[in-house]
Amino acid sequence: MAKSLVVVESPAKAKTIQKILGRGFQVLSSMGHVMDLPKSRIGVDVDNGFEPSYVVIKDRKKVLGDILEAARTVTTVYLAPDPDREGEAIAWHIAESIRADALKKKGRKKKEDAAKPKTPVEIRRVMFHEITKKGITQGMANPLDLDRQRFDAQQARRILDRLVGYTLSPLLWNKVQRGLSAGRVQSVAVKIVCDREKQIGAFLPEEYWSLTARFSGALPPSFLARLSEAGGEKVRPRTGDETQALKAAVENGPFAVKEVKKKTRRRSAPPPFTTSKLQQEASRSLRMQPYKTMMVAQTLYEGVDIPGAGLVGLITYMRTDSLRVADEALLAVRDHIRATYGEPYLPEVPNQYKNRKSAQDAHEAIRPTSMEYAPEQVKSILSRDQFRLYELIWKRFVASQMTPAEFDQTTIDILCDPAGAPAGGYLFRATGSVPRFSGYLEVYQESVDADATTSATDPDKEDPDTQLPPLAEGERLELAELLPAQHFTQPPPRFSESSLIKELEEQGIGRPSTFASIVKTIKDRLYVRLEEGRFRPTELGNVVTDLLQSSFPRVMAVSFTALMEEELDQIEEGEREFRQTLEDFYKPFSEELAEAHIAMPNVKNELIATGIPCTACGGEMVIRVGRAGRFLACRNYPECKSTANFRETLDGKVEILPDEAAGVDCDKCGKPMIVRRWKGARYIACSGYPDCRNSKPWPTGVKCPECHDGDMVERVSRFGKMFFSCSRYPDCKFASWTKPIALACPECGFPAMTERTRKSGETLIACLRKGCKGRREPAGPIAVPDGNAG
C-alpha cells in the first residue's frame, strides 16, 4: 500500500510522475479545479467581508471522492498542482476537503477507524517547475507549506471577476439583449480594439513626396539614394510641384561622393521566451492561435513518451513572465553551443536578461528541460504542432545564449551642387549593410508583425540590407534615373492576435496565464472579428463598449485595470489584505451600478428614428440592436420584416448601405442574390429573404484541386476563424486555412497554390498540397482570383 499520496492537475502529468516516483506513492489527478463559486448565483457575501461560498464542481465530485478516500490510507499528502495562483487555489481547496473529511472520523465505527493511520495526515505543497526526474526529485525533496497569500490573490481575482461579470452581464441583458457578457478584463480588451478603430476612422492622411535617385559607379551594382537635405535643411516635399522643382534642380548633376561612413553594428540575441512572447511569436511565425499555443505547450510540459527514457517533460512551466534561467541549464546550453557551433558563437560569460518591473520570478523562462532531446531527435514521436512549437522554444533558448550578430553598415552621402544651388547643395543618402558574423542568427531569427516591416514606398524607412558598391570620397557618379513618388501617411494598424497580446502586456492588463483566454473570449463573444489576421470590433462590440464606458468609466479605464493587477501582486507578496482590495473596489462600483440601472439607455427596446422610408411597406426604418449589433428595421415589425445595414456619416446622418449584388439569380425563386457576411466570411443569400431563405457559401473562383468537381468556398470555423473548403463537403473534405490561388505547383503539378508570408515580411506562393515544398517567387502584384456567384 502506498505511504504517500501525490495530487496533480492533469491525468497526463499524473501518469508521468507516477512512473518517476514508483512504488510507495499513489499519484492522482484533480482534473483541474475541484471547487468553485456556484454558477447559479453570485456566491459572494458582500455584507460579510466578501466571504465566498465555494461548492464542489458537479463533474469533480467523483474525482474529489477518490482523492479523499486515498488520503484516508496514507500518512502524507503532497499537493502538486501547477506552480501558480490557480494551482495554489486547487491545492488549498483539496487540503480543506481532506481536513474536513478527517473531522468526520469521530463519528465512524471503531472497526473502520482501526484500518486508518493513527496520526493525522500531513499535507504539504510541492512545486514541479519541470516534469523530469530531476524536477520531480527536487520538488519532492523541498516540500512547502500552503501559501495563504498566493491563495488570497487568486481569491481576490476570482471574486472581482465574479462581482463584475455577475452584475454587468444581467445589466446588458436588460439594456441590450440576452446572452451578452461583460468582464473586468475582457471588456477593457474590447475597448482597446474599439479605440484603435476610432483612431483609424478619425485619421486624416497627409500627402508627402520623395525623390529617389538610381546611381551607378565604376563598379556594380547600381543603387538607390534618397534626397534628404537641401541647403543643409531636412527636405520632405509636400506636393508634386515641389518635387518636380527639386527634380529639375538636380537632374543635370553633377553628383559626387561626399562622405563614406562605415561602422560595425551589433544585434544582440533575444531573451528566452516568456508566456506572452511565446504566444506572440507562435502567432506570427507558426500562425498558431494563442489559446492553441498554450494547449500544445501544456502537453510538452506534462510529458511525452520517449523510447528508452519513458515519459519526459520537454519544456519548463509555460506560464511565466520571468527571464531567469537556472545555472545548470546555462551550463548545458553553453556546452551545446560550444560543441555544435564553436567558440566564436559562445559569449565569454552567460547572457543575462533583466525582468520587467512587474514580472513574477517564481518560475524560470520557458526553455527545454534538457539539451539531450534536440527537436529533430524527437520529431517522429511528436505531433506536427508539438514539434513546431518545441523547435521554436529550443531555437530561441539556444540563440539567447549566443554571441551578437555583426554587420558592416555603410552610409554614403552624395552631393549634387549645380550652379544656383543653395549653400551646401543637395544631399542624397544611401544606407546599406553586409553581414559580417552571423552570431545567434545562425540558429534563430525573430519574426516581426507585418506592420513593423520596412515599406519600400516609405522614404522615412531605410532598408539597411541594400547592397552598396565600393565607393571612395570624391568619386563621380552617373545618374541613371530620378524617381519621384507620392506617399500618404498611414493610420495606426489594427491589432493582430500577437500585437494585441503585446499591448495587453505592455499596458499591464492580465497575467501570463490569462492572455490567451482573454483573446479567445472576446472572439467567442462576437465583440470582435478577425479579418485578414486583424481585429475589427463588431457593431455589437462598439455598442456594448460605449454603454459600459459611459456608465463605468473607472472600471473601463486601462490604467485602473492595470492598477488592479498590481494590487493582486501586492496581495501575493503579503503587502496588501485582499478583503480591503475588494472593499476599495466594490463600494464605488456598486454606486455606479445602481446609477447605470437607471441612467443607461435601453437600446434593446429603443427605436431610433431615421426618417428613412421602408421600401417594402412605406413605414419608417428605425435603428434596432440585434445579435450582430445595430441594424435598420421597419417600425411596423412584425407585420413588415424588412431590414437593412447602414452607416453613419461624419455629420451624424444615417445612410442605408446598398446590397452588394452577387451577379446571379436565386435558383429557387429567381430573385437576385446578394452578398452577406457572417463572422467576417462572405456568403450569398436571396434578396427575397425572409420569404426565400436560399443561401450559398462564397466561391473563391478556384476549382477544388482534389476532386476537381467542387469549388473552393469561404467558410467560418466554430471558433470564428475563416478557412476555405470544397463546396462538395462532406463528400470531399479538402480544406485550407489560406486562400487558394489557381496556379499549378512547379514541383508536383498540384493545381492550387496559396500566398504565404515569410518571417521577414516578404510574400511567396506556396503549394497547397500537404508535404510539398513547391514555391513560386512573386514577380509583382499577385493576381488572386476572387470568385463571384457566377
Side-chain angles (χ1 to χ4, degrees), residues 702-739:
V702 178
K703 279 288 185 184
C704 175
E706 193 161 282
C707 73
H708 307 293
D709 290 331
D711 295 311
M712 295 297 290
V713 297
E714 288 184 10
R715 297 189 188 276
V716 178
S717 73
R718 61 193 179 104
F719 300 111
K721 185 177 180 182
M722 186 187 295
F723 68 100
F724 304 86
S725 70
C726 180
S727 59
R728 294 181 60 246
Y729 178 87
D731 295 328
C732 176
K733 296 183 178 180
F734 181 81
S736 169
W737 288 114
T738 53
K739 188 172 184 176

Side-chain angles (χ1 to χ4, degrees), residues 503-645:
E503 183 74 9
L504 294 174
E505 181 185 35
E506 290 180 349
Q507 295 284 2
I509 298 172
R511 300 297 300 164
S513 59
T514 63
F515 291 139
S517 62
I518 292 170
V519 173
K520 182 177 185 296
T521 298
I522 65 176
K523 287 193 299 181
D524 291 348
R525 298 296 184 186
L526 302 182
Y527 290 142
V528 299
R529 65 175 181 267
L530 271 175
E531 288 187 8
E532 299 179 351
R534 298 281 164 170
F535 280 119
R536 281 178 178 262
T538 62
E539 182 66 28
L540 182 63
N542 281 319
V543 169
V544 170
T545 298
D546 289 344
L547 290 173
L548 293 177
Q549 176 66 34
S550 62
S551 297
F552 303 93
R554 189 177 66 107
V555 174
M556 292 292 286
V558 171
S559 58
F560 178 77
T561 306
L563 177 63
M564 293 305 301
E565 296 293 344
E566 291 179 12
E567 291 190 5
L568 293 173
D569 292 341
Q570 290 170 2
I571 294 170
E572 183 169 347
E573 296 299 322
E575 299 171 1
R576 190 175 180 88
E577 206 278 320
F578 92 97
R579 296 182 193 275
Q580 186 61 50
T581 296
L582 295 172
E583 179 68 33
D584 293 345
F585 169 83
Y586 188 72
K587 186 175 180 180
F589 173 72
S590 61
E591 293 172 356
E592 292 174 341
L593 184 65
E595 178 66 22
H597 276 285
I598 300 171
M600 182 182 283
N602 191 328
V603 299
K604 179 170 66 174
N605 300 323
E606 186 179 31
L607 304 179
I608 303 174
T610 65
I612 300 174
C614 173
T615 56
C617 72
E620 184 188 23
M621 300 295 282
V622 295
I623 298 176
R624 290 181 179 269
V625 177
R627 183 179 178 187
R630 299 191 303 166
F631 65 100
L632 289 181
C634 183
R635 188 184 289 276
N636 295 328
Y637 177 86
E639 288 76 17
C640 179
K641 298 181 179 179
S642 177
T643 62
N645 293 321

Side-chain angles (χ1 to χ4, degrees), residues 231-380:
E233 299 290 333
K234 293 284 185 183
V235 59
R236 189 179 188 183
R238 294 290 179 181
T239 66
D241 291 342
E242 287 182 44
T243 309
Q244 289 300 324
L246 290 167
K247 179 182 177 183
V250 301
E251 60 188 355
N252 294 322
F255 299 95
V257 177
K258 179 182 179 182
E259 185 179 15
V260 178
K261 291 182 286 189
K262 293 185 178 181
K263 64 178 180 180
T264 299
R265 182 167 57 91
R266 292 161 63 89
R267 190 188 303 171
S268 298
F273 280 129
T274 59
T275 302
S276 69
K277 290 296 186 289
L278 175 63
Q279 292 170 359
Q280 292 171 46
E281 185 69 359
S283 177
R284 288 190 299 250
S285 63
L286 305 182
R287 301 293 187 266
M288 192 178 289
Q289 293 183 327
Y291 201 78
K292 184 176 182 180
T293 296
M294 297 309 293
M295 291 175 62
V296 176
Q298 182 87 31
T299 65
L300 294 174
Y301 163 70
E302 291 177 348
V304 297
D305 197 352
I306 297 178
L311 289 162
V312 176
L314 290 179
I315 65 171
T316 54
Y317 190 57
M318 65 285 159
R319 294 185 180 93
T320 177
D321 53 5
S322 172
L323 298 175
R324 178 175 59 84
V325 175
D327 291 340
E328 60 266 29
L330 290 176
L331 291 174
V333 72
R334 285 174 64 81
D335 288 343
H336 171 79
I337 294 169
R338 184 183 293 109
T340 307
Y341 303 101
E343 291 290 344
Y345 292 87
L346 187 68
E348 292 184 8
V349 296
N351 293 333
Q352 299 292 330
Y353 299 96
K354 189 176 180 179
N355 282 329
R356 295 168 61 97
K357 184 179 179 181
S358 61
Q360 304 293 298
D361 202 37
H363 320 299
E364 292 184 59
I366 303 171
R367 62 169 177 83
T369 57
S370 172
M371 300 309 294
E372 295 179 23
Y373 304 114
E376 289 298 329
Q377 183 181 341
V378 295
K379 183 176 182 179
S380 61

Side-chain angles (χ1 to χ4, degrees), residues 475-501:
E475 183 175 342
R476 300 294 291 265
L477 299 174
E478 293 293 329
L479 176 65
E481 57 181 333
L482 282 170
L483 305 168
Q486 183 186 34
H487 312 277
F488 293 92
T489 54
Q490 298 296 311
R494 291 184 176 89
F495 289 108
S496 63
E497 289 186 306
S498 63
S499 62
L500 180 57
I501 287 175

